[in-house]
Amino acid sequence: MTGRDGGAALVREPGAPVVILVRPQLAENIGSVARAMANGGLFDLRLVSPRDGWPQERAWRSASGADRILDAASLHDSVDAAVADLQRVFATCPRPRHIVKPVLTARGAAAEMRAVRRLGLGQGILFGPERAGLDNEDMARADALIRYPLNPEFSSLNLAQAVMIMAYEWWLSTDATPPRRLMTNETRVATKGELENFLTHLVAELDECGFLRNAPKRPGMVRNLRHLFERGEVTEQELRTLHGVVTELARGRRERT
Amino acid sequence: MTGRDGGAALVREPGAPVVILVRPQLAENIGSVARAMANGGLFDLRLVSPRDGWPQERAWRSASGADRILDAASLHDSVDAAVADLQRVFATCPRPRHIVKPVLTARGAAAEMRAVRRLGLGQGILFGPERAGLDNEDMARADALIRYPLNPEFSSLNLAQAVMIMAYEWWLSTDATPPRRLMTNETRVATKGELENFLTHLVAELDECGFLRNAPKRPGMVRNLRHLFERGEVTEQELRTLHGVVTELARGRRERT
């Protein structure tokens, strides 16, 4: 089951939560879980009594290269055995029943996990079997429950997607990506002076061709054109293109006169 | 393909983003996408040229009861046709290339989508085919790109999981206050169909005057013009002005010939 070259870059991050699949049914899902863990920078996978035994070739086939996670996964015959070395255990739970535990959102849980990591404690997250989810005995092993805020009218969540959301929130909880930025690989947003140059060029040509001949409306029309070009975060390269567009469109008239 | 009783509670929420799958390959993935949409309260699904045709029984089998979403899905033969009635289009893009567009995180995009909904605008999210993702022509149709903050060492993301993260963030974002909005008192943001009309007009005139005579460079130049105008949230009134600008600038040449 080893020796694939995919996922060579995957590494164990000390203190990150261990993912513990309790009685998972389908090997394909175990593979998809490994892929989702890789997406969110999680590495340690523990399997408690997988229904069809372990290892299973089909898991590697659905892992899309996250082979190292599967290669390193450990097998346990009870939840107690799987969590024995950990200090903090979370249990995902779509429908909390009569259990008195703190209940966290996925985002809240990720923040808590970062805090646990800073304390140097070992931690893990329990995910239940595909159909039934964790039972009360499983959940009794957890310090806190995690319930995702999702559509209560449709709560059937695929196992790998449940892991995906937690892995995503784990990754996000350190992320500093600004929520919005302009992608400009080979150019830069134009300066206001460059934009002004273009607007001067455009308005001169529009005066020339008579588009702005209605004197009372002229200031409003010019202002509207300005609004449009100010808003789009025009790049320096695009401005050069626009200069060319205006020049070429007007060329015929210039050559005629 | 209809008549299953699953997902009876699923309903269309006005103003929620439409999910647009561009050239999806596997019907199972389309079903899993519907399930993920249901988890996050999304309902409208549009399919652009699915590889194996549509409908496909296998999609319903993997939807875990989100049948209504599949029953109501619409089929389109191009991205242009699928976005023609929308006013704001987002494109998911794991690896942005040489494109000048705003780039949002999933969370930033969800906040933006809530703001777009409050403005009463139609909106959609493009997801590319499983293997290759969206191509440059697809992305040129978008106002903004969405890039998930996820492990850059392992960016292979399953299609349904890509939809899951966006659906989850959409569901989570209900309380967010708008990060920004477009002031449009007397007009409205143009539809993609109206924008397409203008671009067709502009390109025809640019062909006519010879601006696009360099055949190898023509597609890239046209795409750059498209990027610019897709980005600026052009209003319907501004588009009418732009039509006039192009027509009047070109008039001299037409009168001469």
Side-chain angles (χ1 to χ4, degrees):
Chain A
M1 300 290 177
T2 58
R4 328 292 171 87
D5 45 7
L10 300 176
V11 290
R12 173 177 281 113
E13 180 194 350
V18 171
V19 169
I20 304 161
L21 302 186
V22 180
R23 302 181 298 280
Q25 302 180 291
L26 299 172
E28 287 84 351
N29 287 344
I30 300 174
S32 300
V33 162
R35 181 181 185 178
M37 290 172 64
N39 289 141
L42 298 176
F43 188 85
D44 281 308
L45 176 62
R46 300 181 183 183
L47 304 173
V48 177
S49 309
R51 188 189 65 184
D52 301 331
W54 189 255
Q56 289 282 334
E57 181 68 30
R58 284 170 300 147
W60 273 258
R61 281 205 297 272
S62 62
S64 290
D67 294 9
R68 281 188 167 203
I69 288 173
L70 295 176
D71 296 342
S74 61
L75 185 63
H76 307 266
D77 58 11
S78 69
V79 171
D80 280 340
V83 303
D85 63 325
L86 303 178
Q87 284 142 318
R88 195 69 58 86
V89 174
F90 301 85
T92 54
C93 175
R95 295 166 297 275
R97 280 148 285 192
H98 311 294
I99 294 170
V100 181
K101 296 264 197 216
V103 178
L104 304 164
T105 62
R107 192 160 301 171
E112 180 77 15
M113 288 169 194
R114 290 284 168 189
V116 169
R117 180 171 177 275
R118 278 189 294 272
L119 294 171
L121 304 179
Q123 58 184 327
I125 317 165
L126 300 175
F127 292 88
E130 288 87 337
R131 215 166 287 268
L134 297 168
D135 64 25
N136 287 341
E137 284 302 313
D138 301 326
M139 281 189 275
R141 269 70 190 167
D143 299 273
L145 306 181
I146 304 172
R147 181 158 52 159
Y148 300 158
L150 281 172
N151 187 357
E153 304 291 341
F154 192 90
S155 59
S156 155
L157 193 65
N158 172 283
L159 177 57
Q161 294 196 320
V163 173
M164 182 76 239
I165 287 176
M166 211 47 248
Y168 167 70
E169 287 288 3
W170 168 256
W171 185 269
L172 260 189
S173 59
T174 47
D175 179 67
T177 308
R180 181 179 192 279
R181 67 206 177 88
L182 187 64
M183 179 61 53
T184 52
N185 293 323
E186 295 134 353
T187 179
R188 55 174 175 74
V189 175
T191 65
K192 293 300 178 186
E194 287 164 345
L195 192 56
E196 202 57 42
N197 263 349
F198 168 68
L199 288 170
T200 302
H201 177 190
L202 175 63
V203 168
E205 289 290 3
L206 291 176
D207 272 329
E208 179 81 10
C209 76
F211 186 69
L212 299 173
R213 61 188 165 270
N214 184 329
K217 285 194 172 174
R218 187 179 181 283
M221 293 177 78
V222 170
R223 200 161 50 232
N224 285 344
L225 286 168
R226 173 186 295 282
H227 277 311
L228 168 62
F229 287 103
E230 295 277 2
R231 211 166 57 225
E233 296 176 308
V234 184
T235 69
E236 177 271 333
Q237 197 178 53
E238 285 167 343
L239 269 191
R240 277 187 279 128
T241 304
L242 287 174
H243 274 292
V245 164
V246 170
T247 301
E248 292 293 320
L249 282 173
R251 186 169 48 98
R253 191 178 46 260
R254 260 202 314 284
E255 283 175 0
R256 184 184 46 165
T257 53
Chain B
M1 297 290 179
T2 58
R4 327 294 171 85
D5 46 5
L10 300 177
V11 290
R12 173 177 283 115
E13 178 195 352
V18 172
V19 169
I20 304 162
L21 302 185
V22 180
R23 302 181 298 280
Q25 302 179 291
L26 299 172
E28 286 84 351
N29 286 344
I30 300 174
S32 301
V33 162
R35 180 181 186 179
M37 289 171 65
N39 289 141
L42 298 176
F43 188 85
D44 281 307
L45 176 62
R46 300 181 182 182
L47 306 172
V48 177
S49 310
R51 187 189 65 184
D52 301 332
W54 188 257
Q56 289 282 334
E57 183 67 32
R58 284 170 300 145
W60 273 259
R61 280 206 297 272
S62 62
S64 290
D67 293 9
R68 282 188 168 203
I69 288 173
L70 295 176
D71 295 342
S74 62
L75 185 63
H76 305 267
D77 59 10
S78 69
V79 171
D80 279 340
V83 303
D85 64 325
L86 302 177
Q87 283 143 320
R88 196 70 59 85
V89 174
F90 302 85
T92 54
C93 175
R95 296 167 296 276
R97 281 147 286 193
H98 313 294
I99 294 170
V100 180
K101 297 269 195 211
V103 179
L104 306 164
T105 62
R107 191 159 301 168
E112 180 79 13
M113 288 169 194
R114 290 287 168 188
V116 169
R117 179 171 176 275
R118 277 187 290 274
L119 293 172
L121 304 180
Q123 57 183 326
I125 317 165
L126 301 174
F127 292 88
E130 287 88 336
R131 216 167 286 270
L134 296 169
D135 66 26
N136 286 341
E137 285 301 315
D138 301 326
M139 281 188 276
R141 268 70 189 167
D143 299 273
L145 306 180
I146 304 173
R147 181 157 52 160
Y148 301 156
L150 281 172
N151 188 358
E153 304 290 343
F154 192 88
S155 59
S156 156
L157 193 64
N158 173 282
L159 177 57
Q161 294 196 323
V163 172
M164 182 75 238
I165 287 176
M166 212 47 249
Y168 166 71
E169 287 286 4
W170 167 255
W171 185 269
L172 264 188
S173 64
T174 29
D175 304 327
T177 47
R180 74 193 177 99
R181 53 168 292 177
L182 184 63
M183 184 61 60
T184 54
N185 293 323
E186 295 131 358
T187 180
R188 57 174 175 74
V189 175
T191 67
K192 294 299 175 183
E194 288 165 344
L195 191 57
E196 201 59 39
N197 265 348
F198 168 68
L199 289 170
T200 303
H201 177 192
L202 175 63
V203 169
E205 290 289 4
L206 292 177
D207 272 327
E208 178 83 9
C209 75
F211 186 69
L212 300 172
R213 61 191 163 267
N214 184 330
K217 286 195 172 173
R218 186 180 182 283
M221 292 177 78
V222 170
R223 201 159 50 230
N224 285 344
L225 286 168
R226 175 186 292 282
H227 278 309
L228 168 63
F229 287 105
E230 295 277 3
R231 213 166 56 225
E233 297 174 313
V234 183
T235 67
E236 179 269 336
Q237 195 179 55
E238 286 167 342
L239 269 191
R240 277 188 279 128
T241 303
L242 287 173
H243 274 291
V245 163
V246 171
T247 301
E248 291 293 321
L249 283 173
R251 189 167 49 99
R253 190 179 46 261
R254 261 203 313 284
E255 284 177 359
R256 182 183 49 166
T257 54

